[in-house]
Amino acid sequence: RSIEKTIIDMRGLGPSTDFGVGMYGSFMKNGELGYAVMFGNGIGNKILSNKTKKVYGSLLGRFADKKLIIEAYSDCFFEPVDKSKWTMKGFIGYTSEDVSAGVEVVRQQQNNYYNNNADLVPFGVSAFVNGSLVKGKLKAFARYDYFDNDTDYEDGRTYSSPSFYYRENFVTAGIDYMPVRNIHLMPNIWFNSYSDKRTTGAVERKPDVVVRFTFAYFGLPQ
């Protein structure tokens, strides 16, 4: 998380935090199958300025000695101007002492968000892996995202933002060095390329490339 936001947060499909009332629990005593539901504002930790409301729901399974994680998630965001967003997400991941990996797939139906009378349908896939190189001292990590702001695009549609015309491929990779406990030094690269969806009038957009050095401190034991 210190390297980059999740794909939903990064692409503006929903905030990573919200204010509301939630309920969490388990269907089984061993905690293998659980649930979470929440009724929130839908605008994160901002001051509530309208009557928007958001309903969240998640089913989470932990199997194979809780190393295999599977989640089915959905939320519905209702605005007071006949607009709504319905998000569906699936996640599967594996974690152990030496390696973690996972894949997340998200699709969002944005009703009446295109010229107030048509829908937008963003879609994305995010995959990550990280592994230990020197136990307790050095890890390597990588992540790949595919994202399309509107899979319903047809030639002739015009958007307020040029990003809607492109499919995007995002990659980040680096190493995580821990000189002492909870201190993380992470040189990494950030790369985002673009593919124009227009069959006529396509405009080449050069990729964004950033070389970064990230410092992070985690107060809780890792």
Side-chain angles (χ1 to χ4, degrees):
R1 183 57 192 249
S2 53
I3 297 297
E4 189 50 76
K5 299 175 181 178
T6 64
I7 188 171
I8 288 180
D9 193 12
M10 178 184 181
R11 300 300 181 174
L13 302 183
S16 60
T17 59
D18 200 6
F19 181 80
V21 178
M23 182 171 64
Y24 310 86
S26 175
F27 296 113
M28 305 172 68
K29 291 183 179 180
N30 61 9
E32 283 190 347
L33 187 61
Y35 67 89
V37 293
M38 179 175 172
F39 184 77
N41 293 329
I43 55 175
N45 54 10
K46 299 177 183 178
I47 297 175
L48 184 62
S49 58
N50 54 36
K51 296 181 180 180
T52 59
K53 292 294 178 286
K54 194 170 186 177
V55 180
Y56 304 80
S58 173
L59 291 175
L60 180 67
R62 297 177 182 271
F63 309 102
D65 197 24
K66 297 187 177 181
K67 293 181 179 180
L68 178 65
I69 303 169
I70 301 175
E71 182 188 22
Y73 166 92
S74 182
D75 66 55
C76 295
F77 178 54
F78 303 97
E79 295 200 63
V81 288
D82 297 325
K83 292 183 177 181
S84 62
K85 295 180 181 179
W86 179 28
T87 306
M88 295 174 290
K89 184 188 76 171
F91 173 82
I92 182 169
Y94 176 83
T95 183
S96 69
E97 186 177 354
D98 295 322
V99 65
S100 296
V103 178
E104 184 175 44
V105 180
V106 59
R107 181 184 185 274
Q108 187 175 82
Q109 183 80 24
Q110 300 182 1
N111 298 311
N112 297 327
Y113 274 77
Y114 175 72
N115 290 346
N116 294 325
N117 58 11
D119 302 340
L120 300 175
V121 186
F123 174 81
V125 179
S126 181
F128 72 91
V129 63
N130 67 73
S132 177
L133 301 178
V134 179
K135 189 174 182 178
K137 285 293 184 180
L138 186 64
K139 291 183 178 180
F141 60 86
R143 170 177 154 188
Y144 166 76
D145 291 0
Y146 166 84
F147 184 70
D148 188 340
N149 263 308
D150 185 17
T151 57
D152 272 3
Y153 171 78
E154 297 177 356
D155 278 341
R157 274 199 172 193
T158 57
Y159 298 101
S160 58
S161 172
S163 64
F164 281 87
Y165 294 108
Y166 297 90
R167 299 182 182 95
E168 301 184 38
N169 291 277
F170 168 75
V171 175
T172 185
I175 59 173
D176 179 0
Y177 173 58
M178 292 158 280
V180 295
R181 192 176 187 181
N182 300 338
I183 298 292
H184 296 253
L185 307 177
M186 297 175 284
N188 60 94
I189 188 169
W190 194 98
F191 176 88
N192 200 66
S193 65
Y194 305 87
S195 175
D196 202 320
K197 295 183 286 187
R198 290 169 287 194
T199 56
T200 58
V203 177
E204 182 182 1
R205 185 173 177 180
K206 294 183 179 180
D208 302 318
V209 182
V210 182
V211 178
R212 306 186 303 179
F213 184 89
T214 303
F215 168 84
Y217 171 79
F218 298 105
L220 297 175
Q222 302 301 303

